[in-house]
Amino acid sequence: MTRYGKLPGQTATRTCHIGGVALGGAHPVVVQSMTNTDTADVAATARQCAELARAGSELVRITVNTPEAAAAVPAIREKLDALGCAVPLIGDFHYNGHRLLAEVPECAAALAKYRINPGNVGFGQKKDAQFAAMIEFACRYEKPVRIGVNWGSLDQSVLARVLDENNRRPKPEAITAVMREAMIASALESAAQAEKLGLPGENIVLSCKVSSAPELIALYRELAVRADYALHLGLTEAGMGSKGIVASTAALAVLLNDGIGDTLRVSLTPEPGQSRTAEVIVAQEILQSLNLRAFTPQVVACPGCGRTTSRLFQELARDVQDHARARMPEWRAQYDGVETLSLAVMGCVVNGPGESRHANLGISLPGTDEDPAAPVYEDGQKVATLKGEHLAAEFIQMIEGYVARKYPRRNP
């Protein structure tokens, strides 16, 4: 079946339930992230899971690579529950998942989903048996499974077979096309094997990750035509800082705009000492920029030019954006729909009043040689003029007042 022409966010017709989160069908695209703590460190891992969830990650993946890590998973789940954090946990398994799930069945029960890489679930004659063992645990505990193919750890037997088939063709395909076919074949064949072992198709999520944006787009467009499983998107090893953000956005935005993808992660390398939540914020902003989800108030801000020599609008734009994101967890708990709030911070008279009128609440700061007064617009109407050293604090207070007046309170 083809997915093109479907509504944004509606890719797989099957719906996969992961804890309390639904993927596929008419459900919105879900944001997920991954911890980088030692999972055996229960306190640190639970703390980072809670931090990611608070930032807006709806699923959190944790590494399960040792007996100590597997034994820690139930304790991490208990700590999160005690904090009132219900975010589902995904276990990321490589090489020894079959053994860890057998040795620590409490881990198998505590996780909301398992991630299996068919390229390293096992090798040679052990591969099928070890894959089957993990699927049997998923069936026993009624857990979904992501079959995650990565071109850095592609199943070599599948690649060799596809290469041989390609070499026998009268006109062999380029190596990039062969690699793409091998990845898709690995994912689809593993999914078919899992279904034969009893795992329902609704409990299967597929991913095929590469680190090239154009290749990821081509790969998922083909996968989306050939599969009706929920799809997880992500540009693997995207990189650090602006490079990782731009590369991920370039790939994921195209696919999401095509209507492809049910969940995504932005795989950023964090700066030393940087919070892991940066990847969550970028994923949210990609979805919100495409009008697929609303997570936090959007701030339209002037880029600045020769008319705006004052730093005031830059500082106010930063303060407003930081304030809105910091307040969002409390606002979300108290008010319905506040994530759709739009704000504008403009720097001069050219576009300032017009952009401010388009926002729910906007302020047009004076540019060079303009009257040192800032008109404020609420839902298109001028409601105040601010000036003086307390202008920023007064505008932020107006935002708080707008939220309290305009959005209905949630039932306690």
Side-chain angles (χ1 to χ4, degrees):
M1 60 156 290
T2 180
R3 297 180 178 187
Y4 303 121
K6 284 194 162 192
L7 294 175
Q10 294 184 325
T11 54
T13 57
R14 309 188 206 200
T15 298
C16 177
H17 292 277
I18 304 169
V21 177
L23 306 182
H27 299 285
V29 182
V30 170
V31 172
Q32 67 175 268
S33 58
M34 185 173 184
T35 60
N36 60 357
T37 56
D38 178 357
T39 306
D41 186 337
V42 172
T45 304
R47 184 166 56 249
Q48 191 173 77
C49 288
E51 181 185 22
L52 290 167
R54 181 177 170 82
S57 186
E58 294 156 301
L59 301 170
V60 175
R61 183 157 47 110
I62 60 178
T63 297
V64 187
N65 58 335
T66 64
E68 293 77 15
V73 170
I76 294 167
R77 179 72 271 163
E78 289 175 8
K79 262 193 173 300
L80 290 171
D81 291 342
L83 293 170
C85 179
V87 66
L89 298 178
I90 301 166
D92 192 63
F93 294 99
H94 296 276
Y95 307 109
N96 60 354
H98 61 290
R99 190 167 66 247
L100 295 177
L101 291 176
E103 292 174 355
V104 190
E106 297 85 0
C107 171
L111 292 169
K113 185 176 79 169
Y114 311 153
R115 187 278 176 114
I116 303 175
N117 183 340
N120 57 34
V121 71
F123 303 97
Q125 296 179 341
K126 296 180 179 179
K127 175 188 169 184
D128 288 346
Q130 292 176 184
F131 180 84
M134 294 196 71
I135 298 301
E136 286 166 11
F137 277 103
C139 293
R140 183 184 310 170
Y141 291 99
E142 298 182 332
K143 306 293 183 178
V145 169
R146 171 156 72 95
I147 295 171
V149 179
N150 191 301
W151 72 348
S153 52
L154 181 58
D155 186 329
Q156 294 302 297
S157 63
V158 174
L159 178 59
R161 188 191 75 218
V162 174
L163 280 168
D164 287 344
E165 292 169 355
N166 185 63
N167 290 334
R168 289 195 293 269
R169 292 182 176 184
K171 294 183 178 181
E173 298 278 357
I175 189 62
T176 54
V178 175
M179 178 73 78
R180 191 182 313 142
E181 177 58 30
M183 293 185 70
I184 293 172
S186 179
L188 294 180
E189 290 169 13
S190 296
Q193 185 181 357
E195 288 205 66
K196 287 180 182 177
L197 292 166
L199 188 67
E202 292 76 15
N203 279 5
I204 296 174
V205 180
L206 297 185
S207 68
C208 290
K209 290 191 176 184
V210 298
S211 56
S212 159
E215 187 57 30
L216 191 82
I217 293 167
L219 201 162
Y220 270 89
R221 280 178 168 168
E222 178 66 20
L223 180 63
V225 171
R226 292 166 60 178
D228 192 34
Y229 301 104
L231 298 182
H232 169 75
L233 302 183
L235 187 75
T236 192
E237 286 91 41
M240 181 180 285
S242 60
K243 185 271 177 186
I245 293 171
V246 171
S248 293
T249 303
L252 302 184
V254 171
L255 293 170
L256 291 164
N257 203 52
D258 281 347
I260 297 172
D262 302 287
T263 176
L264 79 160
R265 180 197 174 202
V266 175
S267 300
L268 296 180
T269 303
E271 299 280 352
Q274 182 188 48
S275 170
R276 191 71 163 178
T277 58
E279 67 178 48
V280 178
I281 293 169
V282 173
Q284 290 179 328
E285 289 177 348
I286 291 171
L287 292 172
Q288 192 148 349
S289 295
L290 294 170
N291 292 330
L292 296 178
R293 297 283 304 273
F295 296 97
T296 193
Q298 291 289 281
V299 180
V300 174
C302 170
C305 68
R307 295 176 180 270
T308 55
T309 52
S310 170
R311 290 180 54 187
L312 179 59
F313 85 92
Q314 299 169 328
E315 293 168 352
L316 182 58
R318 177 201 62 203
D319 292 347
V320 166
Q321 185 160 289
D322 290 348
H323 181 82
R325 185 165 287 280
R327 291 284 285 135
M328 195 58 208
E330 286 75 25
W331 282 348
R332 187 184 293 112
Q334 296 175 33
Y335 303 102
D336 279 324
V338 69
E339 64 275 4
T340 63
L341 173 67
S342 61
L343 303 167
V345 179
M346 303 301 294
C348 80
V349 72
V350 174
N351 291 319
E355 284 285 0
S356 297
R357 287 190 182 98
H358 289 312
N360 293 129
L361 196 67
I363 186 169
S364 180
L365 296 171
T368 307
D369 298 326
E370 292 180 25
D371 180 43
V376 177
Y377 299 85
E378 183 178 296
D379 296 325
Q381 301 299 315
K382 184 178 175 181
V383 294
T385 299
L386 303 181
K387 59 177 65 177
E389 60 180 325
H390 301 299
L391 180 151
E394 290 172 3
F395 183 65
I396 287 175
Q397 193 57 43
M398 291 183 74
I399 295 172
E400 290 286 347
Y402 185 93
V403 170
R405 285 184 287 109
K406 294 290 186 174
Y407 294 95
R409 280 192 171 272
R410 294 184 183 275
N411 294 326

